[in-house]
Structures are given as C-alpha cells and as structure tokens.
Amino acid sequence: MIINPTYTGKQYWLTTVISGLLLSVLLSIAYIVFYKHLYVTSSYLFSIIYLIPFVWLSITLAFFKNKYVWSEFSYGKAFQMSFLSGIIGSIIFSIVIFLLFDYLEIGSRMGLYENGRVMRQLFSPLATAVSMLIINVILSLFYSLIIAIFARKKN
C-alpha cells in the first residue's frame, strides 16, 4: 500500500531552498570569523567549518520531519532534501569566498608566494572557491547519506 506524504511539494522545495540559503550564510559568517580569529597553519579548530553542514542539514531534516511529515518520509526524499540543500549552500558559499578573496582581499595569502607562479595559481581566489565547492559538495553527499538513514520515517 502506497501512502502519500502529508507534506506538499511547495513545503518540501521551500524548506530545501531556504535551508541551502541559510547554510551558505552560516558557512560564510563562520568562515570569516574562524579565518580572522582561529587560522593558524597548524590549527585544528579551523576544521570545525567542515562540521557545520552536517549539523545544519541534520537540523533541517529534523525540523521538516517534525513539522510537515505525519506519515511516511522515504530515504530517497530525505537524501534529496539534504543533498540539494548542501549543494545550494556550497555554491553560494563558494561565490562568497571568491568575492571575499578577489574583491575585498580578505584572507589573501598571495603575498606569501610572490615568486612562484604555480603557487599563486593554486592559492588564487578562483582556485580557493572551486576547491571549497568540491570539498563541500563531497561532504554534503556523505553527510546526506548518513543523515537520511535517521531522517526516514515509515509506518
């Protein structure tokens, strides 16, 4: 017997998009604060930034499940919501990182590598933004796989 979800498509997609937008804002603020206050070449505290999406995506799915889902919430829908929120957040966060590094020159380490052309390319704003995008999309994939296991709901 197939049970229709008790939530509407509008609620599902609105929650997904808003969660992704808020994730990008949270990541951007945390990155700026951590970069200014915690960034040391051997600091492990800066790695907290990679756990923020896991916590945020868990909160999003828990909120959606408790507010809108009264019957069945499949693993696929939970994974899709979490992963799409993570992708939206990652894309906007990468754009913010690019803009901060390129136009405002916040966090630019280019002065350290004036002599090496390859090092300047590896630490360019575009390379930093693309690497953050790739890292966050991969992390969102793994986090979504884990979170969806606990977020599904069966009758």
Side-chain angles (χ1 to χ4, degrees):
M1 179 167 123
I2 297 175
I3 300 172
N4 292 327
T6 53
Y7 54 90
T8 65
K10 184 179 178 181
Q11 292 168 333
Y12 180 83
W13 289 108
L14 191 63
T15 303
T16 302
V17 171
I18 289 174
S19 172
L21 292 174
L22 290 176
L23 175 62
S24 66
V25 169
L26 186 64
L27 278 173
S28 299
I29 291 170
Y31 189 84
I32 292 168
V33 169
F34 290 170
Y35 198 89
K36 289 290 187 183
H37 300 292
L38 294 178
Y39 192 82
V40 183
T41 56
S42 61
S43 174
Y44 297 106
L45 291 175
F46 192 73
S47 300
I48 293 171
I49 192 107
Y50 299 114
L51 295 177
I52 290 173
F54 181 73
V55 173
W56 183 256
L57 296 174
S58 299
I59 291 170
T60 299
L61 280 173
F63 168 79
F64 184 78
K65 189 172 86 168
N66 290 329
K67 184 159 177 82
Y68 297 117
V69 180
W70 293 296
S71 60
E72 185 174 295
F73 191 50
S74 69
Y75 176 83
K77 285 293 184 185
F79 171 77
Q80 181 184 23
M81 175 181 267
S82 182
F83 188 57
L84 289 177
S85 294
I87 287 177
I88 291 168
S90 298
I91 290 170
I92 296 171
F93 175 61
S94 295
I95 292 169
V96 168
I97 290 296
F98 176 75
L99 294 174
L100 287 174
F101 280 28
D102 194 37
Y103 296 109
L104 299 178
E105 297 181 7
I106 294 176
S108 177
R109 301 251 190 259
M110 299 301 271
L112 299 173
Y113 307 106
E114 290 177 3
N115 296 331
R117 184 178 61 84
V118 174
M119 291 302 279
R120 276 184 285 161
Q121 289 175 346
L122 290 176
F123 287 98
S124 71
L126 181 62
T128 305
V130 169
S131 68
M132 290 302 283
L133 176 66
I134 292 169
I135 289 168
N136 282 320
V137 167
I138 291 171
L139 285 175
S140 292
L141 174 67
F142 288 123
Y143 292 160
S144 298
L145 289 170
I146 295 167
I147 294 168
I149 293 171
F150 298 103
R152 67 182 174 177
K153 186 176 185 178
K154 291 184 178 181
N155 278 344

